[in-house]
């Protein structure tokens, strides 16, 4: 086992770290349930072709970042780099006609072969939400508000929402013609990465982080000037409705996103607290994707939140585990059996019950209960076991306690009364 390590860019999440993950996930899942959004689970492994067709061959994700391999049947498989294409495939494959309007969420690992750094991993996790079959601006607004409110519920502040519109396919083709002409004239002023993108994915040049390229791009033609009247109206409606909901936004005409399927609305939510990988949530509309993949003409919009980045932003209060309600100290053959039985009964009251199965001395078990700051303890030794009863008391950190009672194992009424007075009603 010497020198066996996890792969670069992947991480182990250990029990203490997972307390925060679980607390965050709980709040997120409650928000999704309140918005009546249903879960969908798709395989982590898909045919490579799905992502080539769904995300686009010229994108960074598909051209450089996919974990792709041949399986034993010589089929090209890929570990999913994102969830939208898989959801689209699953819906088409499972027949969409009976349910053309769907609000869906998914959560799980995604894989991209990127250079690992703070906030960027090769295996990371996303929460994704997809509204399928919805065309009106109201769905754009509900999606953006949902993402905004999930982050708000977690107490995350100093967030910036950036929005843009990419128009429809015709708008983009018109724009691309004139942008390409401009790029050809200015090619020598662009950084190398952007020069390489001219033939593969010219729109992504707009997203360049290179300072000189950014400066030159200020003079490039703007996509908003090529929008049809309908696309313009749609975008103005979006902004108006965001104003009504008092969700603050900044327009960023260079926000094109890294995946080819977007149409009309594109948005990102960033936080200054995240450093260079500042985007916690990215999303947009993809009205052509499902049709392009062989399904019916189905407008759709969605977003994905990077969970690692979300966890970094969420408050320290979410790192605190739920406290133990009852710690059961026990010793002796019969006592151990009775303790096991009692722990199962108590857990039915939704109490966090820790049964000590260490076989250690009473004093060590007391110390453990103390360390855990358990709210109460139960003691079962040979004497108690012989009388078929146990001692229960509230516990304070000095090792003392109050409200002590001796309760028979059969006396559920007395037990329930004690729990109600001391734990459940609090
Ligand atoms: P994306 O912008 O590629 O969009 O990813 C969404 C979020 O996933 C990012 O904002 C970031 O928080 C997180 N993320 C991406 N790559 C990494 C990484 N290597 N390490 C850590 N976190 C990362 C999508 O994936 C689209 N499917 C979103 C969407 C859904 N659009 C419409 N529907």
């Amino acid at each position: 086992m010497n020198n066996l390590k996890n792969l670069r860019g992947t991480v182990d999440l250990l029990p203490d770290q997972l307390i925060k993950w679980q607390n965050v996930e709980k709040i997120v899942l409650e928000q999704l349930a309140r918005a009546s959004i249903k879960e969908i689970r798709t395989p982590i492994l898909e045919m490579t072709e799905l992502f080539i067709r769904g995300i686009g061959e010229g994108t960074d994700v598909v051209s450089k970042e996919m974990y792709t391999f041949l399986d034993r049947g010589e089929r090209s498989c890929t570990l999913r780099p994102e969830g939208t294409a898989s959801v689209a495939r699953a819906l088409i494959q499972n027949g969409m006609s009976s349910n053309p309007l769907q609000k869906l969420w998914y959560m799980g690992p995604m894989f991209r072969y990127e250079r690992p750094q703070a906030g960027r991993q090769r295996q990371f996790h996303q929460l994704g939400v997809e509204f399928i079959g919805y065309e009106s601006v109201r769905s754009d607004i509900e999606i953006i508000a949902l993402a905004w409110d999930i982050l708000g519920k977690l107490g995350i502040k100093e967030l910036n929402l950036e929005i843009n519109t990419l128009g429809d396919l015709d708008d983009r083709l018109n724009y691309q013609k004139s942008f390409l002409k401009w790029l050809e004239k200015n090619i020598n002023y662009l950084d190398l990465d952007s020069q390489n993108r001219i033939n593969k994915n010219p729109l992504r040049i707009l997203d360049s982080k290179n300072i000189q390229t950014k400066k030159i791009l200020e003079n490039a033609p703007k996509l908003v000037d090529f929008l049809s009247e309908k696309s313009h109206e749609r975008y103005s409606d979006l902004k108006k409705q965001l104003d009504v909901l008092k969700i603050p936004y900044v327009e960023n005409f260079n926000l094109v996103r890294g995946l080819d399927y977007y149409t009309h609305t594109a948005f990102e939510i960033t936080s200054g607290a995240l450093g260079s990988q500042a985007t916690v949530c990215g999303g947009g509309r993809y009205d052509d994707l499902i049709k392009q993949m062989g399904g019916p003409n189905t407008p759709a919009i969605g977003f994905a939140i990077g969970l690692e980045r979300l966890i970094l932003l969420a408050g320290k209060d979410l790192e605190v585990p739920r406290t133990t309600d009852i710690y059961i100290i026990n010793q002796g053959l019969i006592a151990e059996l009775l303790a096991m039985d009692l722990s199962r009964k108590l857990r039915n009251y939704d109490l966090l019950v820790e049964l000590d199965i260490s076989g250690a001395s009473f004093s060590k078990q007391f110390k453990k209960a103390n360390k855990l700051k358990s709210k109460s303890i139960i003691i079962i030794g040979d004497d108690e076991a012989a009388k078929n009863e146990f001692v229960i008391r509230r516990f304070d950190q000095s090792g003392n306690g109050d409200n002590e009672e001796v309760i028979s194992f059969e006396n559920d009424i007395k037990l329930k009364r004690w729990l109600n007075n001391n734990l459940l009603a609090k």
Side-chain angles (χ1 to χ4, degrees):
M1 281 292 281
N2 267 353
N3 297 330
L4 273 184
K5 281 186 176 165
N6 61 325
L7 289 169
R8 200 165 120 78
T10 67
V11 297
D12 296 314
L13 291 170
L14 302 175
D16 284 348
Q17 292 167 289
L18 281 169
I19 291 164
K20 190 170 187 186
W21 279 76
Q22 287 169 347
N23 285 335
V24 167
E25 284 169 11
K26 188 162 175 262
I27 294 172
V28 168
L29 296 191
E30 277 166 6
Q31 275 300 98
L32 293 167
R34 287 181 192 128
S36 193
I37 300 169
K38 307 251 169 11
E39 184 180 6
I40 183 165
R41 294 188 194 185
T42 60
I44 287 173
L45 199 57
E46 295 270 8
M47 283 163 70
T48 304
E49 198 191 333
L50 169 68
F51 302 114
I52 296 177
R53 275 175 58 188
I55 300 173
E57 216 161 1
T59 59
D60 282 356
V61 171
V62 170
S63 66
K64 330 192 249 211
E65 295 170 1
M66 293 210 302
Y67 273 91
T68 295
F69 57 91
L70 289 182
D71 71 5
R72 287 170 198 270
E74 301 283 303
R75 284 167 293 250
S76 180
C77 305
T78 294
L79 288 171
R80 64 179 184 195
E82 60 106 51
T84 312
S86 303
V87 169
R89 179 206 49 71
L91 292 176
I92 297 168
Q93 192 177 332
N94 292 288
M96 301 180 64
S97 48
S98 58
N99 205 353
L101 294 177
Q102 299 201 48
K103 294 180 178 177
L104 302 168
W105 66 267
Y106 49 88
M107 191 158 14
M110 308 287 163
F111 303 83
R112 295 185 193 176
Y113 196 86
E114 297 191 79
R115 203 166 59 76
Q117 51 180 287
R120 187 184 276 177
Q121 292 171 193
R122 290 182 173 167
Q123 178 181 338
F124 60 100
H125 297 79
Q126 277 186 350
L127 158 74
V129 177
E130 314 288 355
F131 282 9
I132 309 292
Y134 292 90
E135 187 165 23
S136 81
V137 176
R138 293 172 65 194
S139 56
D140 302 39
I141 294 290
E142 196 187 358
I143 272 284
I144 293 175
L146 188 75
W148 192 254
D149 290 345
I150 285 175
L151 299 169
K153 266 273 166 218
L154 290 166
I156 302 173
K157 299 197 177 72
E158 292 175 54
L159 291 169
N160 309 302
L161 166 65
E162 293 186 3
I163 59 167
N164 190 20
T165 179
L166 302 173
D168 61 19
L169 206 61
D170 287 340
D171 301 341
R172 248 192 345 270
L173 285 177
N174 279 338
Y175 170 67
Q176 200 152 305
K177 266 190 230 150
S178 118
F179 187 44
L180 274 172
K181 269 195 204 139
W182 181 91
L183 285 172
E184 273 157 24
K185 270 194 229 145
N186 291 280
I187 186 164
N188 293 329
Y189 305 109
L190 302 174
D191 62 284
L192 209 64
D193 235 17
S194 298
Q195 288 180 1
N196 288 334
R197 281 193 165 130
I198 291 186
N199 295 322
K200 277 200 266 166
N201 200 350
L203 282 189
R204 277 294 280 177
I205 295 173
L206 291 171
D207 221 9
S208 169
K209 303 282 175 284
N210 182 284
I211 292 174
Q212 197 194 324
T213 302
K214 271 171 107 168
K215 184 109 198 83
I216 291 156
L217 281 171
E218 285 170 14
N219 303 316
K222 299 267 174 292
L223 202 148
V224 288
D225 298 326
F226 291 77
L227 295 180
S228 67
E229 207 172 308
K230 215 168 139 211
S231 302
H232 247 303
E233 248 170 54
R234 198 176 195 292
Y235 186 51
S236 308
D237 271 0
L238 175 81
K239 290 188 285 181
K240 269 188 222 144
Q241 294 191 34
L242 282 175
D243 287 337
V244 172
L245 293 187
K246 297 197 173 58
I247 297 179
Y249 59 85
V250 175
E251 284 179 88
N252 175 358
F253 293 132
N254 291 334
L255 180 73
V256 287
R257 313 262 308 119
L259 312 154
D260 273 357
Y261 47 62
Y262 290 111
T263 49
H264 295 292
T265 307
F267 68 96
E268 285 189 355
I269 303 176
T270 59
S271 162
L274 281 176
S276 63
Q277 301 304 320
T279 309
V280 60
C281 172
R285 180 160 279 288
Y286 49 96
D287 289 345
D288 301 325
L289 177 69
I290 294 175
K291 186 153 181 236
Q292 266 169 24
M293 285 175 42
N297 200 358
T298 311
I301 182 163
F303 67 78
I305 289 177
L307 291 184
E308 280 75 10
R309 298 181 193 179
L310 185 67
I311 302 291
L312 281 176
L313 290 172
K316 281 220 169 298
D317 52 325
L318 292 165
E319 287 167 20
V320 183
R322 183 176 161 185
T323 24
T324 307
D325 291 304
I326 306 177
Y327 194 94
I328 305 182
I329 295 169
N330 59 109
Q331 209 179 49
L333 264 184
I334 303 172
E336 283 168 12
L337 272 178
L338 289 169
M340 178 73 74
D341 206 32
L342 185 60
S343 70
R344 294 170 71 204
K345 191 195 285 182
L346 289 167
R347 283 176 191 141
N348 286 333
Y349 293 112
D350 187 31
L351 291 167
L352 201 161
V353 180
E354 176 136 359
L355 171 66
D356 195 313
I357 54 166
S358 66
S361 67
F362 268 129
S363 74
K364 277 204 178 129
Q365 295 189 43
F366 267 106
K367 271 193 196 132
K368 185 77 192 298
N370 204 2
K371 198 167 161 216
L372 284 177
K373 298 191 168 70
S374 182
K375 291 181 200 158
S376 64
I377 51 170
I378 281 177
I379 305 155
I380 318 170
D382 286 333
D383 289 353
E384 287 80 14
K387 290 189 222 151
N388 200 35
E389 58 192 26
F390 58 87
V391 177
I392 189 165
R393 72 160 93 112
R394 284 212 315 228
F395 193 53
D396 69 24
Q397 298 320 299
S398 62
N400 298 318
D402 54 12
N403 288 14
E404 178 169 307
E405 287 215 44
V406 177
I407 302 178
S408 149
F409 277 95
E410 268 89 52
N411 197 343
D412 285 350
I413 294 174
K414 195 170 174 190
L415 171 62
K416 186 76 200 287
R417 197 180 321 124
W418 192 93
L419 297 176
N420 268 336
N421 291 339
N422 293 284
L423 293 172
L424 294 170
K426 302 273 151 179

